[in-house]
Amino acid sequence: MPVIHPNWERPPVNMVDGYSLEMTAKDVESLKSTATAIAPETPIAVTFLPGEEPAARIEATRLVRGLGFEPMPHFSARRIRSTDEFETYLAAAVAEAGVKRCFVVAGDPSEPEGPYFDSSALIASGAFERAGISAIGIGGHPEGHPNMSKDQCWAVLEEKCTQIDQRGMAPLIVTQFVFDADAVLDWLAELRARGIEAPVRIGVPGPAGIKTLMRFAARCGVGASASVLAKYGISIGKLLGSAGPDRLVERFERGFGPEHGRVRLHFYPFGGLEKTVAWINNYARAH
């Protein structure tokens, strides 16, 4: 089995040890200003947003590598307009940023703009292993998927893990950001009971304004009922101010055990990279 990242080869010191981050091509200046506060070799995912030029994403990916971190560019299947576009972008990421790990998603459009309907189609193309990619990230859905039943979610996840493994790469499961730690713990227990041993990164929202968090939750289909938000520390009646993931991460710290397998956190910096990295470092010092 290929090595995914050195962070997986040792037990974590605390819940945020071995974390990963997400950024967009617009965050390059924030990354530069925050770089000295980020742990060396931290995996940083570079998202695939509509309206961005591929060159901007490649520049961001190259910066991640140049600053001593581990780039993991996203590939949004339904937004890729041709095989040539896909393979040219992948080749540039490998050649210019030494990319070894990629993350694949279907993408938001209901219909594909090119030949790839979903992330499975990208995996099945064989392009990743031909390019020398060693690990493929795929989405996990602890709170369910808006367009698939629970059984369909498990079947698709199992099939993707099998396909990635059979192609000589390592599967890595990364979830959408969550508010409900208990739902995640239950999902992880079922994941392992089903025999899926791939390491998992649980999505955690970095500190941000409450209205910002709610807006991203609505856009991403994240469960945000009043009871779940109350667990997280947000009151529906008080949407002013900001909120951090303190309660969520502390619940993970108490709840994670050997039965959950290899788990690390993946931070979505909705309030900015600087605030998220500062929160992570403060948490690490306190624990």
Side-chain angles (χ1 to χ4, degrees):
M1 176 68 68
V3 174
I4 293 179
H5 191 270
N7 285 339
W8 294 105
E9 306 308 313
R10 58 173 173 77
V13 175
N14 54 48
M15 200 59 241
V16 298
D17 189 28
Y19 67 89
S20 59
L21 294 166
E22 190 143 318
M23 66 174 287
T24 73
K26 297 177 181 179
D27 293 327
V28 291
E29 293 304 321
S30 293
L31 181 63
K32 290 176 184 176
S33 65
T34 314
T36 56
I38 300 172
E41 296 189 314
T42 291
I44 299 181
V46 180
T47 59
F48 194 114
L49 297 179
E52 288 179 341
E53 290 297 323
R57 291 194 293 269
I58 292 295
E59 179 187 354
T61 305
R62 189 167 56 239
L63 176 66
V64 171
R65 175 66 74 196
L67 291 172
F69 309 121
E70 189 64 38
M72 190 174 188
H74 284 204
F75 289 78
S76 182
R78 293 176 192 158
R79 295 193 186 281
I80 296 173
R81 291 164 292 185
S82 68
T83 298
D84 181 66
E85 179 184 296
F86 170 36
E87 297 193 358
T88 298
Y89 180 58
L90 176 59
V94 171
E96 298 185 35
V99 165
K100 292 293 184 183
R101 298 154 186 86
C102 299
F103 184 77
V104 294
V105 295
D108 294 330
S110 57
E111 295 296 327
E113 298 173 14
Y116 305 107
F117 180 75
D118 56 19
S119 55
S120 295
L122 293 180
I123 295 167
S125 73
F128 290 114
E129 62 263 36
R130 289 196 299 270
I133 299 301
S134 62
I136 297 290
I138 54 178
H141 303 282
E143 297 175 321
H145 191 285
N147 299 319
M148 289 191 291
S149 68
K150 181 179 178 180
D151 287 343
Q152 288 172 325
C153 280
W154 285 120
V156 168
L157 187 59
E158 289 171 356
E159 177 61 21
K160 286 179 185 177
C161 287
T162 298
Q163 285 295 318
I164 293 166
D165 185 56
Q166 289 179 347
R167 291 176 177 278
M169 299 176 290
L172 168 67
I173 300 169
V174 185
T175 80
Q176 184 54 273
F177 73 94
V178 298
F179 290 129
D180 189 347
D182 294 321
V184 171
L185 293 169
D186 291 343
W187 177 82
L188 279 169
E190 184 169 357
L191 181 83
R192 302 315 184 195
R194 288 173 173 268
I196 302 174
E197 299 299 330
V200 176
R201 287 194 176 276
I202 299 298
V204 173
I210 294 173
K211 289 185 177 179
T212 297
L213 292 173
M214 298 296 290
R215 184 173 70 250
F216 276 103
R219 183 186 304 173
C220 300
V222 172
S225 66
S227 59
V228 166
L229 291 173
K231 287 184 185 180
Y232 187 80
I234 294 175
S235 168
I236 292 293
K238 298 178 180 178
L239 297 182
L240 297 178
S242 61
D246 301 71
R247 288 189 187 182
L248 180 72
V249 176
E250 286 169 0
R251 176 70 181 98
F252 286 149
E253 189 98 56
R254 297 192 306 272
F256 281 140
E259 70 275 16
H260 297 116
R262 291 177 293 171
V263 182
R264 298 288 189 275
L265 301 185
H266 177 72
F267 285 88
Y268 294 86
F270 299 131
L273 277 170
E274 296 92 341
K275 287 183 179 179
T276 295
V277 172
W279 185 93
I280 293 169
N281 290 335
N282 288 336
Y283 188 95
R285 282 190 290 269
H287 297 77

